[in-house]
Every structure is written in structure tokens, then in C-alpha cells.
Amino acid sequence: MARPLHNSLSPPALRSVLYWFYRSGNLMNFFLRRRIRRAGIALLVMGILLSFLAGGRDPRRADAPGQLLGFGFALGVMALLSLPLRRARVRITRQLPEHATAGEPVRLTYHLTNLSRFTLHHAALVETPPDPRPSRAQFAIAREPGGEKRNAFDRVFAYHCWMWLCEIRILFDADESTRPLLLRRGASTTVTATIVPRRRGLIVLDDLRLLLPDPLGFYQRCLRTATPASTLAVLPARYPLPPFELPGSARFQAGGDAASRQTGPSGEFVALRDYQPGDPMRLIHWKSWARTGKPVVMELEDTFYPRHGLILDTFPEAGDEALFEAAVSVAASFVSAIDTHESLIDLMFISGREQVVTAGRGTGRAETLLEVLAGVESSPHPQFDSLRKLVLRHAEDLAGCLAVFAGWSPKRAELLARIHAAGISIAAIVVCEEEIPASVPGVRFVRRTQLGPDLMKLPPRF
């Protein structure tokens, strides 16, 4: 029988009530935070403090706390009454970069045109991430990391579990546009804003808000614009790596067996010669033909380049999703560091089906592999045998393989052993938690929480 994932002591009936309560409170919190500015919060705090100071005093006696309280109340009412007068009608188009990277700020550009009869002033733009609130079913089975260590009260009411679920589901953090808008009737301008994606994948931007503060700066209207939706591809986070050689690279050094596993001729120029029937048209040297009056072709020297396999483990254990995300980042780091102008990389993994994506000299850009890694998903059921067969089908083309594992287990050790027994040079990098297992030949362990420093400690040869 499967072990339940929920680490809360609350019964299902209470959990349903808590879900409704937390969901409504989260919505109210979002509504107020978008409409009360920092000055408004300060005014509210000052009003509470002055109420305590003025409490118990004779209301007929005019003193400083009472006067300040009345003055602040009047300002707040005036600010609220002025909000309906803040209106705008704009046309906005959004311009995105080609890619973004998880954890790094990305700048978005907006082109605005004021369609209103009035001047638009002191306004700002901000992107709104998708609703992070989980579904009832997700809240019912969620397991907060370390939740079993909380006290009984926290486990019964599961508030920390709710906050954790909302936090991990936020796709990006957004800042307001860099400068306040001041746009006359019919005029156009360009502004920028920054978002920070929290994780890799595709982000759909379909909720751009126009913020219109009141003249006193206490509150603001938050109007949803009719800007068309846009999609931003977020690449995995990547880390710097020390100089390294992939498994099997020695086969392509001087005196190595380069012809046995190759990518094909590189087309390095050697000399010119007369055209012979069957020579491809792309080799004709047109300038020499025009000068001599007879067809001349370029003679090329065949140079071969290594082909490496990058195996990604998409079978994390239950609760090890963070290890899988870290493994994707490790794979992306190697894709970025490998010189694809001098080699080919076959990214091999199983996500719903067997997949092999190739990039490198003459086939595609390394960015292609990063885009694939941005959307790769874990598999619900381990298929190590299918992964082994996938690698062995390409064994004749590979100089060597590097495997990136999300955790360590006997099945992963068996996979490495069987691939090595088939005559393929293979090494592995295993992403683990704080405890690093005992040393295993051909395997390097890196800690998920210390990924950057541990990767920089990798040896030059695997």
C-alpha cells in the first residue's frame, strides 16, 4: 500500500475547511497588497498607534494624538474618494527576449499608446504571475519538507504546508516598471520592467496590470490591461565548470582511433583542383572559374570530431523532485560548457518516450539542448532498462557518455555497470542531499544545496 504523502494531523473534514479559509485569505491578501501602497500601510500603522494613545482620554479635550488621528483619517478618506477619478485607456504591446534563465533577472519592454482624452501620469506597469494557490486535492496530499518536525498545532492546521505550496508554485517575481508614466493624449512611449523567473519552463504572461496611484500616494487602482498573452522560455539555471574532458575524449587525440566514432568530414580547405564529374556544386570555386575559364573545385581534408552522450536521469524518487531540478541544471551546465563547434552532443533521456536530441558541429546549436532541458519532465515510473537500451542503440556513434543522476540507488549503479560492460566509456555525476555516499569508481557526488561550489571541485578527467 502506498505511503500517504500528507504530513498533517488534521482530519479530511477540517482540512477542507482550512483549504477554503486559506484560499480566501490568500485572495484577500493579494487584493490588498496590490492596492495599498507603502505610504498607506504607514498611515494605517500610525492610525492604530494614535488610537491607543488617544484611548481613554476625554473626547472633548483637543490633544495632539487625537488631532493627528483625525487628520490622518481625513487624508485616508480623501485618497480613497479620489481613486475612481484615476482612469486610463491604453494600448500596450509586450516585447520579450528570446530566452530567460531561472533565477536571473530578465527585462521586458512595453510600447504604450495613450488612447484616453486625458494625460496619463504617475502610472506604472507590473506583470502578475499565475495564481499560485494549489487545488484542494494538492493540498490534501502535500508533504512539506521537514513538516513532520513541526509541533502538533502546526501539523493540525497545516498553515506552513499551505504557505510552502503557494511559495513553490510562484513562477516569477515581478517589479514595477522602471519609471512613472507621463503620457499625453495620443502619445506613445516605451518603458521596461523586470521579472525574475523562479524555475525553468514556459511562462505565459497574460495578466499585465496598470497601477494608478491616488494623488496622495496612499492607495492605487490596479487595472488589468487587454495586452495579448506572450510566452517566455526559461532555461535551466547553469553553473560555471572547471576545465574538463568528457569520457572517451582521449580517443580523438593524436594517434587515437578517430575513424571508428566520428561526426563526418569538417571540410577544411587544402587546395584547388580541376572539376571532375560527380563533384558537388557547393565545392566549386567560382572566382577561379571566372579567372581561368574552366570549372575549379576546392579540395577538402576530412577531419573528424568526437560525439558524446549526455544521459539525464528523469526517474527521481517520490519527494526528490528538488534533486531532479538540480540534475537538470547540472546537465544544462555541461551543455553550455562543452565546445559544440568541435564535437557533437547527444542528449538522451526518457520523458513519456525515448528521446535523443543532437546538437553540435553541423547539426544544431547548444541552445537547442537548453530549450529541450527547459521543458523536460520527470517520469512517474522508472525505466532504467529502456534508458540502457536507448544508449546501447547509439553505442557505435559515441566516444563516451556522461550520466547525470537525481540521487543514487542500486538500479542506477547497475545501469552504469551494464553500459560500461558494453564497451562504452561512461562516468556519472550524482546530485544528492547533504550526506555524500561512499566513493564509487567513476562517480562524482555533488550536493544539491552546494551545487555551484561542488561542481567547481570536479576533476579535469572523469
Side-chain angles (χ1 to χ4, degrees):
M1 182 176 180
R3 178 173 59 90
L5 296 179
H6 193 80
N7 54 14
S8 171
L9 298 177
S10 55
L14 175 60
R15 201 174 305 153
S16 298
V17 175
L18 291 174
Y19 174 79
W20 176 86
F21 182 78
Y22 293 153
R23 183 177 176 85
S24 303
N26 189 276
L27 177 62
M28 181 61 66
N29 179 56
F30 173 79
F31 180 88
L32 294 177
R33 282 192 299 110
R34 275 293 171 87
R35 288 159 177 82
I36 301 179
R37 298 170 64 87
R38 292 181 179 177
I41 296 176
L43 181 66
L44 179 61
V45 172
M46 185 186 69
I48 295 174
L49 293 176
L50 291 176
S51 297
F52 280 108
L53 293 176
R57 297 173 179 266
D58 186 355
R60 295 171 296 179
R61 181 181 176 184
D63 53 9
Q67 292 176 348
L68 288 176
L69 180 62
F71 180 69
F73 180 78
L75 290 179
V77 171
M78 292 173 56
L80 283 175
L81 293 178
S82 67
L83 278 181
L85 302 178
R86 295 286 281 139
R87 301 178 182 180
R89 191 162 63 94
V90 295
R91 180 174 63 244
I92 306 175
T93 57
R94 183 192 292 111
Q95 184 177 348
L96 306 180
E98 185 177 1
H99 298 116
T101 299
E104 297 184 5
V106 56
R107 179 170 294 182
L108 311 182
T109 303
Y110 305 93
H111 302 281
L112 295 89
T113 302
N114 185 10
L115 305 179
S116 174
R117 296 180 300 167
F118 307 100
T119 299
L120 178 64
H121 57 89
H122 294 94
L125 294 173
V126 65
E127 295 282 358
T128 303
D131 189 350
R133 294 177 296 176
S135 65
R136 189 188 304 270
Q138 290 171 328
F139 180 56
I141 67 172
R143 184 182 63 171
E144 179 198 5
E148 65 278 357
K149 299 179 182 179
R150 296 193 180 276
N151 58 51
F153 181 86
D154 290 339
R155 296 179 65 187
V156 167
F157 288 93
Y159 175 73
H160 294 283
C161 183
W162 170 268
M163 294 300 297
W164 169 75
L165 276 175
C166 292
E167 182 69 17
I168 65 173
R169 288 169 55 84
I170 297 176
L171 294 184
F172 61 87
D173 299 310
D175 293 330
E176 296 181 9
S177 51
T178 53
R179 58 185 177 85
L181 292 173
L182 180 60
L183 203 58
R184 300 187 182 278
R185 174 183 177 181
S188 300
T189 189
T190 299
V191 296
T192 60
T194 301
I195 68 170
V196 181
R198 292 196 176 190
R199 59 182 60 85
R200 63 181 177 85
L202 296 178
I203 293 180
V204 178
L205 302 173
D206 59 356
D207 190 357
L208 179 63
R209 303 292 179 104
L210 181 64
L211 305 180
L212 302 172
D214 68 80
L216 299 177
F218 293 139
Y219 313 108
Q220 64 188 9
R221 296 191 69 181
C222 182
L223 303 180
R224 185 166 183 169
T225 66
T227 308
S230 304
T231 302
L232 178 64
V234 182
L235 304 180
R238 301 181 293 284
Y239 299 88
L241 297 175
F244 63 90
E245 289 185 8
L246 290 174
S249 296
R251 300 185 182 188
F252 293 86
Q253 296 171 358
D257 182 15
S260 62
R261 292 176 172 86
Q262 59 195 27
T263 69
S266 69
E268 298 296 336
F269 175 76
V270 177
L272 297 175
R273 62 172 173 81
D274 292 339
Y275 174 83
Q276 297 177 2
D279 285 338
M281 293 291 292
R282 66 182 180 84
L283 297 182
I284 293 179
H285 196 264
W286 299 99
K287 292 184 178 180
S288 298
W289 188 356
R291 187 174 61 253
T292 62
K294 60 180 181 179
V296 178
V297 297
M298 297 179 292
E299 190 173 26
L300 304 179
E301 177 185 11
D302 288 347
T303 305
F304 299 94
Y305 295 89
R307 186 169 194 151
H308 299 285
L310 181 59
I311 305 170
L312 177 62
D313 170 20
T314 56
F315 316 125
E317 303 289 339
D320 286 345
E321 290 76 11
L323 291 182
F324 172 66
E325 292 299 323
V328 173
S329 291
V330 171
S333 300
F334 277 93
V335 167
S336 300
I338 295 173
D339 186 1
T340 53
H341 294 289
E342 300 298 333
S343 63
L344 264 75
I345 307 175
D346 288 338
L347 175 63
M348 295 180 281
F349 61 93
I350 294 179
S351 182
R353 59 183 178 86
E354 298 178 354
Q355 298 193 44
V356 178
V357 185
T358 303
R361 188 178 181 92
T363 60
R365 305 175 303 158
E367 286 78 6
T368 302
L369 299 185
L370 294 177
E371 292 171 358
V372 172
L373 289 172
V376 66
E377 297 181 357
S378 60
S379 297
H381 305 291
Q383 302 178 53
F384 289 105
D385 193 55
S386 298
L387 183 58
R388 176 184 61 83
K389 294 177 180 178
L390 174 63
V391 175
L392 295 184
R393 280 202 299 270
H394 296 79
E396 291 300 322
D397 299 325
L398 298 176
C401 289
L402 176 65
V404 182
F405 290 137
W408 187 240
S409 66
K411 290 185 177 180
R412 292 174 173 86
E414 181 185 359
L415 174 66
L416 286 181
R418 298 184 69 173
I419 293 177
H420 181 73
I424 302 177
S425 298
I426 186 169
I429 294 180
V430 179
V431 182
C432 60
E433 293 296 347
E434 289 298 327
E435 296 183 3
I436 297 181
S439 177
V440 180
V443 178
R444 304 291 176 178
F445 294 90
V446 294
R447 295 165 294 179
R448 179 183 63 84
T449 56
Q450 299 292 327
L451 207 53
D454 285 355
L455 287 175
M456 286 300 297
K457 297 177 183 178
L458 292 176
R461 286 192 177 185
F462 292 96

